[in-house]
């Protein structure tokens, strides 16, 4: 085999195997340093109107997400509390869904400001912009 042909075979094999330019060794790294989960959860606990926080990161297939519950004080605006919570969580892990509900006076409250009422990353980006965000919810939808 000629040296030139050998070089072509090696180059093609290298490109096909995913070792060429633009190949990825796994999930893309965020272009920011995510705020650690504990810090995020403590910021959420400090929000006005929050009594208790029970949120965790869940990486169970098929999608990783922040999930849990926030106990909201009587008289507080639950949608505003959940909106601020979601905005803060956008400073965390990249491209993660969010499924956090509020409980106020023993009533479960879902967050309905998102398009399609879903905390999938695409809807979160529509509402809060690209990650990491600054932890401030946008104006009314």
């Amino acid at each position: 085999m000629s040296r030139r042909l050998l070089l072509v075979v090696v180059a093609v094999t290298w490109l096909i195997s995913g070792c060429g330019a633009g190949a990825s060794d796994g999930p893309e790294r965020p272009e920011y340093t995510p705020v650690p989960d504990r810090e995020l959860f403590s910021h959420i606990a400090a929000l006005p109107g929050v009594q208790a926080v029970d949120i965790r990161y869940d990486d169970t297939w098929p999608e990783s997400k922040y999930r849990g519950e926030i106990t909201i004080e009587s008289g507080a605006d639950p949608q505003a509390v959940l909106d601020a919570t979601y905005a803060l969580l956008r400073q965390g892990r990249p491209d993660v869904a969010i499924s956090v509900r509020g409980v106020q006076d023993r009533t479960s409250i879902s967050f309905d400001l998102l398009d399609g009422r879903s905390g999938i990353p695409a809807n979160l980006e529509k509402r809060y912009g690209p990650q990491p965000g600054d932890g401030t919810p946008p104006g009314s939808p």
Side-chain angles (χ1 to χ4, degrees), residues 128-139:
Y128 301 103
Q131 284 186 288
D134 64 2
T136 304

Side-chain angles (χ1 to χ4, degrees), residues 7 9 11 20 36 68 80 105 118:
L7 258 157
V9 169
D105 301 325
S118 172

Side-chain angles (χ1 to χ4, degrees), residues 111-136:
F111 184 49
D112 62 5
L113 295 177
L114 296 173
D115 292 338
R117 299 182 184 211
S118 172
I120 63 172
N123 288 343
L124 294 168
E125 187 158 343
K126 284 180 196 171
R127 173 103 181 115
Y128 301 103
Q131 284 186 288
D134 64 2
T136 304

Side-chain angles (χ1 to χ4, degrees), residues 33-139:
T33 302
V35 175
D37 292 346
R38 283 187 152 186
E39 190 175 330
L40 286 174
F41 304 157
S42 69
H43 288 309
I44 293 167
L47 288 172
V50 172
Q51 281 182 335
V53 174
D54 181 17
I55 299 175
R56 68 192 173 284
Y57 171 71
D58 181 357
D59 65 352
T60 307
W61 188 85
E63 101 187 314
S64 12
K65 65 173 60 179
Y66 287 113
R67 69 171 60 235
E69 182 177 283
I70 297 174
T71 305
I72 302 169
E73 295 173 355
S74 290
D77 178 350
Q79 293 298 317
V81 171
L82 288 171
D83 198 14
T85 297
Y86 277 50
L88 284 168
L89 290 173
R90 289 286 289 167
Q91 295 179 319
R93 298 170 189 254
D95 300 321
V96 178
I98 301 174
S99 179
V100 174
R101 68 184 183 105
V103 175
Q104 185 179 49
D105 301 325
R106 297 186 200 164
T107 301
S108 180
I109 299 157
S110 63
F111 184 49
D112 62 5
L113 295 177
L114 296 173
D115 292 338
R117 299 182 184 211
S118 172
I120 63 172
N123 288 343
L124 294 168
E125 187 158 343
K126 284 180 196 171
R127 173 103 181 115
Y128 301 103
Q131 284 186 288
D134 64 2
T136 304

Side-chain angles (χ1 to χ4, degrees), residues 7-24:
L7 258 157
V8 169
V9 169
V10 169
V12 168
T13 304
W14 184 63
L15 288 171
I16 290 173
S17 69
C19 297
S24 174

